[in-house]
Amino acid sequence: MSRINGFVGRRDFLKFASVIGIAATAFGDSFWNTEQTAIADIHRVSPNPVNPNEAIKRLLDGNQRFINQKRKYPDQSLEHLRLVAKAQYPFAAILGCADSRVPAEIVFDQGLGDLFVVRVAGNVVSDTVIGSLEYSTTVLGSQLIVVLGHKRCGAVAEAIKNEPLPGRIGLIIEGIKPSVEMVKLRTGDNMQDAVIANIQYQTEKLQESSTILAKLLSEGKLKIVGACYDIDTGKVNIIT
């Protein structure tokens, strides 16, 4: 199949999807079980894979440069742009909040092709988020996923207020409420406690909701960690 920017070309994908559909009709549930296993066993194509611990170090080193205003702006040259146009090998995947103050590539001082970033309000795990992260790990070879929440998250604040919301905003907030319930009886900074609880909850949900990610975790080929960004200082702290 032809690939464009790391993705299968549309024409080839449609042909592939047609074959998948015919096979699924013919073999039923047994086909999908086999297909799921096959996807989980996809070999990574990265020529220089980065292990999870080194990936965390790269991120935290970059964050320290950002805090100290000594950014290197790595991998942002025209030469590198042309290089990653041919293929992408992100060394880490980030599930972050859509908040405009938390752009992952900037706060971690990274460049083109370094990070596979999925952003949604409240860094909430959903089926589309899981699918994107399964792609980043099984196809692109990322061995680290960071669930990145942040201080004074508006989505978490709405979950704490527990009031009706217009449109589909409420669907996002519903995905945060279970974590808020965990901290209701605590004393102290309930807002920050809820932010941390939500990061931990989404991290656990990500691990428990994907057989593909669970398999990689059990094989020691993937690490998923939570992290919290301080919008006042710019610092990222890993949540244990």
Side-chain angles (χ1 to χ4, degrees):
M1 294 184 184
S2 62
R3 288 175 179 265
I4 300 174
N5 293 334
F7 287 85
V8 176
R10 181 176 180 275
R11 182 177 299 174
D12 288 328
F13 177 81
L14 291 174
K15 291 179 182 177
F16 178 70
S18 176
V19 173
I20 291 294
I22 293 171
T25 301
F27 298 105
D29 291 340
S30 62
F31 171 83
W32 291 114
N33 291 334
T34 303
E35 180 66 14
Q36 189 175 57
T37 301
I39 292 174
D41 290 335
I42 289 175
H43 295 292
R44 294 176 181 81
V45 296
S46 176
N48 298 299
V50 179
N51 69 60
N53 291 334
E54 175 59 25
I56 292 174
K57 184 178 184 302
R58 285 193 191 184
L59 292 175
L60 295 182
D61 286 349
N63 179 240
Q64 195 60 50
R65 294 194 302 270
F66 170 72
I67 294 169
N68 295 333
Q69 293 296 288
K70 295 182 178 179
R71 286 171 283 179
K72 293 182 178 179
Y73 303 99
D75 298 333
Q76 296 184 31
S77 66
L78 285 177
E79 180 182 1
H80 191 74
L81 182 151
R82 297 186 185 102
L83 180 65
V84 296
K86 299 175 183 177
Q88 58 171 326
Y89 305 112
F91 71 83
I94 311 289
L95 167 55
C97 183
D99 192 296
S100 62
R101 299 165 293 181
V102 196
E105 289 88 351
I106 293 177
V107 303
F108 287 119
D109 191 28
Q110 301 300 322
L112 299 166
D114 290 335
L115 303 179
F116 187 94
V117 182
V118 180
R119 295 178 67 180
V120 61
N123 38 277
V124 173
V125 171
S126 65
D127 287 345
T128 51
V129 165
I130 292 170
S132 296
L133 295 174
E134 287 175 343
Y135 183 85
S136 74
T137 53
T138 57
V139 178
L140 302 181
S142 304
Q143 296 186 21
L144 173 70
I145 297 174
V146 178
V147 179
L148 181 64
H150 65 94
K151 189 176 178 180
R152 297 202 301 276
C153 177
V156 173
E158 290 296 333
I160 292 174
K161 285 194 284 187
N162 195 27
E163 297 175 354
L165 293 163
R168 300 189 182 184
I169 300 174
L171 295 177
I172 295 174
I173 305 309
E174 287 299 318
I176 299 174
K177 285 183 179 179
S179 64
V180 172
E181 294 296 320
M182 299 175 187
V183 299
K184 274 189 174 180
L185 300 179
R186 297 183 191 175
T187 59
D189 187 350
N190 284 339
M191 176 62 192
Q192 185 59 14
D193 286 347
V195 166
I196 299 301
N198 183 52
I199 294 169
Q200 294 171 329
Y201 173 73
Q202 303 302 337
T203 301
E204 292 171 5
K205 186 176 179 181
L206 189 59
Q207 298 179 50
E208 295 170 356
S209 302
S210 169
T211 55
I212 290 175
L213 298 182
K215 184 175 188 294
L216 294 172
L217 286 164
S218 67
E219 293 174 347
K221 298 175 181 178
L222 174 66
K223 193 170 191 175
I224 302 177
V225 301
C228 187
Y229 176 73
D230 189 326
I231 60 174
D232 295 310
T233 67
K235 185 174 178 59
V236 174
N237 290 301
I238 300 298
I239 304 299
T240 56

